[in-house]
Protein backbone atom coordinates (compact mmCIF):
# COMPACT_ATOMS: atom_id res chain seq x y z
CA UNK A 1 0.00 0.00 0.00
CA UNK A 2 2.87 2.33 0.82
CA UNK A 3 4.28 1.86 -2.69
CA UNK A 4 0.90 2.73 -4.23
CA UNK A 5 0.71 5.96 -2.23
CA UNK A 6 4.30 6.73 -3.21
CA UNK A 7 3.46 6.38 -6.89
CA UNK A 8 0.13 8.22 -7.03
CA UNK A 9 0.60 10.83 -4.27
CA UNK A 10 4.01 11.17 -2.67
CA UNK A 11 6.27 11.08 -5.74
CA UNK A 12 4.19 13.52 -7.83
CA UNK A 13 3.83 16.00 -4.96
CA UNK A 14 7.48 15.58 -4.04
CA UNK A 15 8.44 16.27 -7.67
CA UNK A 16 6.25 19.39 -7.79
CA UNK A 17 7.75 20.65 -4.51
CA UNK A 18 11.23 19.89 -5.83
CA UNK A 19 10.57 21.95 -8.98
CA UNK A 20 9.03 24.81 -7.01
CA UNK A 21 11.94 24.73 -4.56
CA UNK A 22 14.33 24.96 -7.51
CA UNK A 23 12.42 27.97 -8.86
CA UNK A 24 12.56 29.66 -5.44
CA UNK A 25 16.24 29.02 -4.88
CA UNK A 26 15.66 26.04 -2.60
CA UNK A 27 13.23 27.88 -0.33
CA UNK A 28 10.86 25.15 0.86
CA UNK A 29 8.42 27.54 2.57
CA UNK A 30 8.02 29.54 -0.64
CA UNK A 31 7.54 26.30 -2.58
CA UNK A 32 4.78 25.20 -0.17
CA UNK A 33 3.03 28.56 -0.51
CA UNK A 34 3.17 28.38 -4.32
CA UNK A 35 1.86 24.81 -4.26
CA UNK A 36 -1.01 25.92 -1.99
CA UNK A 37 -1.80 28.79 -4.35
CA UNK A 38 -1.83 26.44 -7.34
CA UNK A 39 -4.09 23.93 -5.55
CA UNK A 40 -6.61 26.60 -4.60
CA UNK A 41 -6.60 28.16 -8.06
CA UNK A 42 -7.37 24.73 -9.53
CA UNK A 43 -10.15 24.28 -6.96
CA UNK A 44 -11.86 27.60 -7.73
CA UNK A 45 -14.46 26.00 -10.09
CA UNK A 46 -15.22 23.37 -7.45
CA UNK A 47 -15.46 26.04 -4.73
CA UNK A 48 -17.93 28.04 -6.84
CA UNK A 49 -19.97 24.89 -7.42
CA UNK A 50 -19.93 24.16 -3.68
CA UNK A 51 -21.11 27.68 -2.84
CA UNK A 52 -23.94 27.36 -5.33
CA UNK A 53 -24.90 24.00 -3.84
CA UNK A 54 -24.91 25.56 -0.36
CA UNK A 55 -27.16 28.37 -1.59
CA UNK A 56 -29.57 25.83 -3.11
CA UNK A 57 -29.63 23.89 0.15
CA UNK A 58 -30.55 27.08 1.99
CA UNK A 59 -33.47 27.66 -0.38
CA UNK A 60 -34.64 24.10 0.23
CA UNK A 61 -34.77 24.62 4.00
CA UNK A 62 -38.58 25.14 4.15
CA UNK A 63 -39.21 21.95 2.14
CA UNK A 64 -36.72 20.05 4.31
CA UNK A 65 -38.48 21.27 7.45
CA UNK A 66 -41.83 20.08 6.10
CA UNK A 67 -40.35 16.66 5.36
CA UNK A 68 -38.98 16.51 8.88
CA UNK A 69 -42.38 17.36 10.33
CA UNK A 70 -44.04 14.73 8.17
CA UNK A 71 -41.52 11.90 8.54
CA UNK A 72 -39.57 12.96 11.61
CA UNK A 73 -40.31 9.75 13.50
CA UNK A 74 -39.45 7.56 10.50
CA UNK A 75 -35.78 8.27 9.80
CA UNK A 76 -35.55 5.78 6.94
CA UNK A 77 -38.50 7.31 5.09
CA UNK A 78 -37.27 10.83 5.88
CA UNK A 79 -33.83 10.11 4.39
CA UNK A 80 -35.45 8.55 1.31
CA UNK A 81 -37.65 11.58 0.73
CA UNK A 82 -34.74 13.94 1.42
CA UNK A 83 -32.63 12.11 -1.18
CA UNK A 84 -35.48 12.41 -3.69
CA UNK A 85 -35.74 16.13 -2.96
CA UNK A 86 -32.00 16.61 -3.53
CA UNK A 87 -32.24 14.69 -6.81
CA UNK A 88 -35.22 16.70 -8.00
CA UNK A 89 -33.54 19.99 -7.19
CA UNK A 90 -30.13 18.77 -8.44
CA UNK A 91 -28.43 19.50 -5.14
CA UNK A 92 -25.45 17.52 -3.83
CA UNK A 93 -25.62 16.68 -0.12
CA UNK A 94 -21.87 16.05 0.04
CA UNK A 95 -20.63 18.83 -2.25
CA UNK A 96 -19.27 20.85 0.66
CA UNK A 97 -16.89 18.03 1.63
CA UNK A 98 -15.21 17.70 -1.77
CA UNK A 99 -12.71 20.59 -1.46
CA UNK A 100 -11.54 19.23 1.90
CA UNK A 101 -11.28 15.66 0.56
CA UNK A 102 -9.26 16.83 -2.45
CA UNK A 103 -6.85 18.78 -0.22
CA UNK A 104 -6.17 15.76 2.02
CA UNK A 105 -3.89 13.91 -0.47
CA UNK A 106 -1.79 17.06 -0.80
CA UNK A 107 -1.54 17.28 2.99
CA UNK A 108 -0.44 13.62 3.10
CA UNK A 109 2.05 14.18 0.30
CA UNK A 110 3.63 17.20 1.98
CA UNK A 111 3.78 15.32 5.30
CA UNK A 112 5.65 12.48 3.57
CA UNK A 113 7.93 14.86 1.64
CA UNK A 114 8.91 16.61 4.88
CA UNK A 115 9.58 13.35 6.72
CA UNK A 116 11.47 11.82 3.76
CA UNK A 117 13.10 14.81 2.05
CA UNK A 118 16.10 12.82 0.79
CA UNK A 119 13.76 10.48 -1.11
CA UNK A 120 11.12 12.86 -2.45
CA UNK A 121 12.81 16.29 -2.57
CA UNK A 122 16.47 15.54 -3.19
CA UNK A 123 15.97 12.27 -5.07
CA UNK A 124 18.65 10.14 -3.41
CA UNK A 125 18.46 6.40 -3.93
CA UNK A 126 17.54 4.01 -1.14
CA UNK A 127 21.09 2.65 -1.24
CA UNK A 128 22.62 6.07 -0.58
CA UNK A 129 20.10 6.77 2.18
CA UNK A 130 20.96 3.39 3.72
CA UNK A 131 24.66 4.33 3.70
CA UNK A 132 23.81 7.64 5.35
CA UNK A 133 21.75 5.86 8.03
CA UNK A 134 24.66 3.55 8.79
CA UNK A 135 27.11 6.48 8.92
CA UNK A 136 24.80 8.43 11.26
CA UNK A 137 24.28 5.36 13.46
CA UNK A 138 28.04 4.80 13.74
CA UNK A 139 28.65 8.46 14.55
CA UNK A 140 25.95 8.72 17.23
CA UNK A 141 25.86 5.19 18.64
CA UNK A 142 22.26 4.39 17.68
CA UNK A 143 20.56 1.68 15.63
CA UNK A 144 20.54 2.39 11.90
CA UNK A 145 16.88 1.35 11.68
CA UNK A 146 15.96 4.22 14.00
CA UNK A 147 17.72 6.88 11.93
CA UNK A 148 15.27 9.05 9.98
CA UNK A 149 15.94 11.10 6.89
CA UNK A 150 15.43 14.23 8.98
CA UNK A 151 18.23 13.05 11.28
CA UNK A 152 20.47 12.71 8.25
CA UNK A 153 19.54 16.16 6.91
CA UNK A 154 20.40 17.80 10.23
CA UNK A 155 23.76 15.98 10.38
CA UNK A 156 24.61 16.25 6.66
CA UNK A 157 27.75 18.40 7.16
CA UNK A 158 29.24 15.75 9.46
CA UNK A 159 28.24 12.85 7.20
CA UNK A 160 29.21 14.16 3.77
CA UNK A 161 32.82 12.96 4.14
CA UNK A 162 31.46 9.40 4.34
CA UNK A 163 28.50 9.94 1.99
CA UNK A 164 29.53 12.54 -0.64
CA UNK A 165 25.98 12.70 -2.05
CA UNK A 166 24.95 14.64 1.08
CA UNK A 167 27.12 17.60 0.11
CA UNK A 168 25.22 20.85 -0.46
CA UNK A 169 21.87 19.37 0.58
CA UNK A 170 20.95 22.78 2.00
CA UNK A 171 21.36 24.35 -1.43
CA UNK A 172 18.76 21.99 -2.90
CA UNK A 173 16.11 22.42 -0.23
CA UNK A 174 16.12 24.89 2.67
CA UNK A 175 13.61 24.26 5.45
CA UNK A 176 14.38 27.59 7.15
CA UNK A 177 11.44 30.00 7.48
CA UNK A 178 12.46 33.29 9.11
CA UNK A 179 14.73 31.39 11.48
CA UNK A 180 12.26 28.53 12.09
CA UNK A 181 13.30 24.99 11.15
CA UNK A 182 10.22 23.57 9.42
CA UNK A 183 11.46 20.01 9.87
CA UNK A 184 11.11 20.46 13.63
CA UNK A 185 7.90 19.25 15.30
CA UNK A 186 6.42 21.55 17.98
CA UNK A 187 6.00 19.95 21.39
CA UNK A 188 3.33 21.47 23.62
CA UNK A 189 3.81 21.80 27.37
CA UNK A 190 1.56 23.16 30.09
CA UNK A 191 4.43 25.40 31.14
CA UNK A 192 3.65 27.83 28.33
CA UNK A 193 6.09 30.56 29.33
CA UNK A 194 8.94 28.39 30.48
CA UNK A 195 8.63 25.84 27.68
CA UNK A 196 7.79 28.15 24.81
CA UNK A 197 9.60 27.37 21.54
CA UNK A 198 9.77 29.58 18.48
CA UNK A 199 8.33 26.76 16.35
CA UNK A 200 5.05 27.19 18.30
CA UNK A 201 4.42 30.11 15.95
CA UNK A 202 3.42 27.59 13.26
CA UNK A 203 0.53 25.93 15.20
CA UNK A 204 -0.61 29.36 16.40
CA UNK A 205 -0.57 30.61 12.81
CA UNK A 206 -2.47 27.50 11.71
CA UNK A 207 -5.11 28.11 14.39
CA UNK A 208 -5.45 31.82 13.59
CA UNK A 209 -5.85 31.28 9.84
CA UNK A 210 -8.34 28.44 10.39
CA UNK A 211 -10.35 30.72 12.69
CA UNK A 212 -10.29 33.48 10.07
CA UNK A 213 -11.51 31.03 7.41
CA UNK A 214 -14.31 29.83 9.72
CA UNK A 215 -15.45 33.40 10.36
CA UNK A 216 -15.48 34.16 6.63
CA UNK A 217 -17.39 30.94 5.90
CA UNK A 218 -20.00 31.71 8.57
CA UNK A 219 -20.38 35.25 7.24
CA UNK A 220 -20.91 33.93 3.70
CA UNK A 221 -23.41 31.36 5.01
CA UNK A 222 -25.39 34.04 6.84
CA UNK A 223 -25.54 36.13 3.68
CA UNK A 224 -26.80 33.14 1.72
CA UNK A 225 -29.15 31.89 4.44
CA UNK A 226 -29.97 34.49 7.13
CA UNK A 227 -32.13 31.93 8.96
CA UNK A 228 -29.26 29.47 9.38
CA UNK A 229 -28.70 28.38 13.01
CA UNK A 230 -25.88 29.84 15.03
CA UNK A 231 -22.78 27.70 14.42
CA UNK A 232 -20.44 29.38 16.91
CA UNK A 233 -19.45 26.06 18.47
CA UNK A 234 -18.71 24.52 15.05
CA UNK A 235 -16.67 27.60 14.15
CA UNK A 236 -14.11 26.59 16.80
CA UNK A 237 -13.94 22.93 15.79
CA UNK A 238 -11.66 23.13 12.74
CA UNK A 239 -9.31 25.75 14.25
CA UNK A 240 -8.85 23.60 17.37
CA UNK A 241 -8.25 20.53 15.21
CA UNK A 242 -5.69 22.53 13.21
CA UNK A 243 -3.98 23.60 16.43
CA UNK A 244 -3.86 20.05 17.82
CA UNK A 245 -2.56 18.44 14.62
CA UNK A 246 0.01 21.20 14.04
CA UNK A 247 1.52 20.32 17.43
CA UNK A 248 2.01 16.68 16.36
CA UNK A 249 3.57 17.05 12.89
CA UNK A 250 6.65 18.78 11.45
CA UNK A 251 6.32 22.55 11.15
CA UNK A 252 6.21 22.35 7.33
CA UNK A 253 2.87 20.49 7.48
CA UNK A 254 1.37 23.09 9.83
CA UNK A 255 2.77 25.80 7.55
CA UNK A 256 1.01 24.21 4.56
CA UNK A 257 -2.24 24.07 6.55
CA UNK A 258 -1.89 27.75 7.48
CA UNK A 259 -1.18 28.70 3.85
CA UNK A 260 -4.16 26.65 2.68
CA UNK A 261 -6.46 28.36 5.21
CA UNK A 262 -5.18 31.80 4.24
CA UNK A 263 -5.43 31.29 0.49
CA UNK A 264 -8.77 29.47 0.51
CA UNK A 265 -10.22 32.08 2.88
CA UNK A 266 -9.17 34.94 0.61
CA UNK A 267 -10.71 33.22 -2.44
CA UNK A 268 -14.12 32.70 -0.80
Amino acid sequence: MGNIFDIIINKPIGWILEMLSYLTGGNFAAAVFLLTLLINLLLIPLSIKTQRSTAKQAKLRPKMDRLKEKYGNDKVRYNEELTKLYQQEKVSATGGCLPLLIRMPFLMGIYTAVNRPLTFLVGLSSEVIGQAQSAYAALNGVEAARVTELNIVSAAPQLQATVPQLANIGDKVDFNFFGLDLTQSPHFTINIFGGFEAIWIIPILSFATAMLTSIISMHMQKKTNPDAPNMAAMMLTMPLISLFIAFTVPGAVGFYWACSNLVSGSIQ
Side-chain angles (χ1 to χ4, degrees):
M1 185 63 70
N3 290 332
I4 294 176
F5 278 114
D6 282 351
I7 294 171
I8 66 175
I9 296 177
N10 299 331
K11 286 186 177 180
I13 292 176
W15 181 83
I16 294 172
L17 281 173
E18 182 183 357
M19 293 300 101
L20 292 175
S21 294
Y22 174 79
L23 292 175
T24 57
N27 191 312
F28 183 78
V32 168
F33 180 78
L34 288 177
L35 176 60
T36 307
L37 190 60
L38 287 173
I39 293 169
N40 283 276
L41 288 175
L42 291 174
L43 288 178
I44 284 178
L46 181 59
S47 298
I48 293 173
K49 185 177 180 180
T50 298
Q51 290 174 8
R52 288 177 178 172
S53 178
T54 302
K56 287 182 179 179
Q57 282 184 326
K59 291 180 180 179
L60 288 179
R61 179 59 60 184
K63 294 182 180 179
M64 293 168 63
D65 290 340
R66 286 196 291 271
L67 287 177
K68 193 170 185 178
E69 290 176 4
K70 188 174 181 179
Y71 303 108
N73 294 327
D74 188 346
K75 292 184 179 181
V76 175
R77 181 66 185 277
Y78 170 74
N79 288 328
E80 290 177 352
E81 295 299 325
L82 187 61
T83 300
K84 290 179 183 179
L85 179 63
Y86 281 147
Q87 291 174 346
Q88 291 171 0
E89 300 293 338
K90 297 180 179 179
V91 174
S92 173
T94 59
C97 300
L98 285 177
L100 179 61
L101 292 176
I102 291 175
R103 286 188 177 93
M104 286 307 294
F106 289 97
L107 184 65
M108 293 166 57
I110 290 176
Y111 175 81
T112 303
V114 171
N115 278 288
R116 298 171 62 190
L118 299 178
T119 298
F120 295 108
L121 295 177
V122 181
L124 296 183
S125 66
S126 57
E127 290 78 9
V128 172
I129 294 173
Q131 293 172 14
Q133 287 176 315
S134 298
Y136 183 96
L139 188 65
N140 294 276
V142 297
E143 294 181 21
R146 295 180 177 273
V147 178
T148 68
E149 293 188 20
L150 291 178
N151 293 146
I152 297 170
V153 170
S154 63
Q158 291 77 40
L159 300 176
Q160 64 185 25
T162 306
V163 187
Q165 293 90 337
L166 296 178
N168 303 319
I169 287 293
D171 295 336
K172 296 179 181 178
V173 56
D174 182 9
F175 286 99
N176 184 281
F177 176 65
F178 292 107
L180 300 177
D181 181 3
L182 294 181
T183 65
Q184 182 183 357
S185 296
H187 298 289
F188 182 76
T189 175
I190 299 298
N191 184 12
I192 296 177
F193 297 103
F196 180 83
E197 301 173 354
I199 194 65
W200 283 18
I201 293 173
I202 298 298
I204 293 171
L205 186 63
S206 181
F207 173 82
T209 54
M211 179 63 75
L212 178 63
T213 302
S214 294
I215 292 172
I216 293 173
S217 297
M218 284 191 64
H219 178 69
M220 295 296 294
Q221 184 182 18
K222 281 294 183 182
K223 286 179 64 177
T224 305
N225 181 20
D227 297 325
N230 192 330
M231 303 291 287
M234 288 297 295
M235 183 179 71
L236 277 172
T237 302
M238 281 307 298
L240 288 174
I241 291 174
S242 296
L243 182 67
F244 173 77
I245 293 179
F247 266 110
T248 62
V249 295
V253 180
F255 179 74
Y256 165 74
W257 205 320
C259 289
S260 184
N261 290 334
L262 194 60
V263 174
S264 62
S266 64
I267 290 177
Q268 288 189 46

